Amino acid sequence: MEHASFGPEGAHIRWTGTAAGGDGGPPRVYVHGLGATSAVYHAHIAAVPALAGRRSLFVDLPGHGISDRPADFGYTLEDHADALASALDAAGASGAELIGHSMGGSVAIVLAVRRPELVSRLVLTEANLDPDPPLSAGSSRIAAYTEDTFVRGGGFEETLERIGPVWRATMRLADPTALHRSACALVRGTRPTMREMLLGLGIPRTFLAGGHGEELSGREELTAAGVTVRTVPGAGHNVMFDNAPGFAAAVAGQP
């Protein structure tokens, strides 16, 4: 485990990882979604032979997993991106390929715009591209609570009871305040939006959508801007669990 300071004095973002093998390519940095952790969602992917030769970092965003959860931190997408930048700077991982799931994909987009020297490629899995997601989305349901109700009025516990066992396993490790503020940030989005930022980037970009989900909004516009859009069959939101071989092939850039 390694760490770097971020935000409030004394706070640290942490990650685990693997050493570089023989393929000599840029490091791959895996970034989890809301209420998740990176190693749980991605370590089995990084171990696939087609990916195992590259240095891999599994970074837990502030308030999640093994990273610190300061109470005086905003947990906006920009805040998360700056904390992630601190981790990559400390790890010497410039020019990295970022593999971001859901909220982690949104954070990766923001980082690529704010610190372009740190990011050479984006692989975005079911990433949030637009503000105001459907009311059925996990972030929207969490953000519907006030912070006080979610943290101290039973909202966090209600959410843990409502969600499935996979998400519950990691969400219960997240700080309730950080979780709520992060969800509100996803609902609020960025200006310009994450989609607009993604369209304007000049680096290789891949967007992965689970075949069991709804049709990706704006697919043609993304493709026209040079984003490789791939639908992974047999998968829902958690593509890396539902179709690990298909997900790994996409990360490796295989057909």
Side-chain angles (χ1 to χ4, degrees):
M1 184 179 69
E2 299 182 72
H3 62 90
S5 60
F6 76 92
E9 184 176 356
H12 288 84
I13 183 169
R14 297 183 177 87
W15 64 97
T16 56
T18 64
D23 90 353
R28 293 191 178 100
V29 178
Y30 295 86
V31 189
H32 61 83
L34 180 70
T37 63
S38 285
V40 169
Y41 275 69
H42 293 112
H44 65 295
I45 299 298
V48 170
L51 300 174
R54 194 83 61 84
R55 183 187 182 195
S56 299
L57 280 67
F58 308 102
V59 184
D60 283 350
L61 295 171
H64 293 72
I66 57 176
S67 289
D68 286 343
R69 47 207 66 201
D72 53 343
F73 190 65
Y75 298 96
T76 66
L77 293 174
E78 294 85 357
D79 289 336
H80 281 303
D82 289 346
L84 180 57
S86 296
L88 300 193
D89 284 337
S94 61
E97 296 185 358
L98 264 61
I99 298 92
H101 178 229
S102 197
M103 181 183 79
S106 306
V107 172
I109 293 169
V110 175
L111 177 61
V113 171
R114 292 169 79 89
R115 293 286 307 275
E117 76 281 5
L118 293 178
V119 185
S120 63
R121 179 188 178 219
L122 290 174
V123 179
L124 310 172
T125 311
E126 291 271 313
N128 301 71
L129 298 182
D130 305 301
D132 301 317
L135 295 178
S136 59
S139 56
S140 294
R141 297 189 72 172
I142 292 173
Y145 293 95
T146 66
E147 182 173 309
D148 186 68
T149 300
F150 186 78
V151 175
R152 289 172 286 276
F156 181 58
E157 291 76 14
E158 290 172 1
T159 301
L160 290 178
E161 291 178 3
R162 183 179 66 247
I163 61 177
V166 174
W167 201 11
R168 184 185 306 123
T170 55
M171 186 182 287
R172 64 186 180 184
L173 304 176
D175 176 74
T177 299
L179 187 63
H180 186 267
R181 291 180 186 175
S182 297
C184 290
L186 269 178
V187 171
R188 186 168 60 249
T190 57
R191 298 294 183 271
T193 67
M194 297 85 80
R195 182 183 297 272
E196 290 167 338
M197 286 191 280
L198 177 62
L199 291 170
L201 288 169
I203 58 176
R205 295 148 294 162
T206 297
F207 191 100
L208 305 180
H212 289 166
E214 297 181 0
E215 180 63 26
L216 175 63
S217 173
R219 186 185 189 112
E220 296 80 6
E221 184 182 32
L222 291 171
T223 301
V227 179
T228 299
V229 180
R230 297 177 60 162
T231 298
V232 183
H237 186 62
N238 294 329
V239 178
M240 66 292 297
F241 293 147
D242 298 337
N243 186 344
F247 181 81
V251 173
Q254 299 172 345

